[in-house]
Amino acid sequence: MSSRSGCTHNQSAEMTKSQGVFRICYKRSGISLILLGILVFIALFVRDDFIRPFVGDVLVVVWLYSLLGSFWRCQPLMLAGLVYGIAFMVEISQYFQVLNWLGWGAHPALRVIFGATFDWMDLVAYFIGTAGCVIVEATQKKA
């Protein structure tokens, strides 16, 4: 991604404040806040069989990619791998009912954040969102 379009491991001084691998990317921070607002809206108000369960899962990995990328400088594939790994672990924790094991299964906010039921399609949605992030990074880097 070029410095004029966002922030990756090659950013400009006017877009970030940097210290080693950690920095603040204002563009990604803004994108992250917008996506968080959309995700909260979906979680609270959308009750359907496509937007909330599928599009929401695609957007959650895009949000996490933007959030982590707003303060952590690393290669896009590494960041994408980390994001997909986190999403995968959350989904696997649903399969094994980890929230219930910890005694937190009745907490409504945690059930919204971490989900309650395992679904293979969630892993597909996470992959689509993560792949989308990598594709956007690659196309913007060429621009």
Side-chain angles (χ1 to χ4, degrees):
M1 186 182 303
S2 68
S3 62
R4 69 185 204 316
S5 63
C7 308
T8 61
H9 56 283
N10 304 337
Q11 55 282 100
S12 65
E14 53 280 1
M15 297 204 63
T16 63
K17 289 186 178 181
S18 179
Q19 181 75 347
V21 296
F22 296 103
R23 49 87 159 112
I24 298 171
C25 176
Y26 297 110
K27 180 177 182 177
R28 286 206 182 181
S29 297
I31 291 169
S32 176
L33 284 173
I34 292 167
L35 287 170
L36 181 60
I38 293 168
L39 288 168
V40 168
F41 177 84
I42 289 172
L44 294 176
F45 301 112
V46 177
R47 304 282 182 250
D48 72 343
D49 294 329
F50 181 71
I51 300 294
R52 184 170 186 185
F54 191 78
V55 174
D57 286 343
V58 170
L59 288 178
V60 79
V61 293
V62 175
W63 167 74
L64 188 56
Y65 187 92
S66 294
L67 177 68
L68 294 177
S70 70
F71 64 84
W72 186 37
R73 180 191 336 228
C74 69
Q75 296 292 325
L77 283 176
M78 179 187 287
L79 183 57
L82 175 66
V83 166
Y84 189 78
I86 291 169
F88 183 86
M89 293 306 295
V90 168
E91 196 66 26
I92 295 302
S93 74
Q94 291 172 9
Y95 180 80
F96 290 108
Q97 298 292 310
V98 171
L99 285 180
N100 290 334
W101 283 8
L102 296 172
W104 300 340
H107 194 285
L110 289 177
R111 289 180 66 83
V112 169
I113 293 168
F114 290 102
T117 57
F118 175 82
D119 186 353
W120 287 104
M121 285 305 293
D122 290 351
L123 296 174
V124 172
Y126 300 151
F127 179 79
I128 290 169
T130 306
C133 291
V134 172
I135 290 167
V136 167
E137 288 274 2
T139 56
Q140 288 184 348
K141 189 173 185 177
K142 290 179 183 177

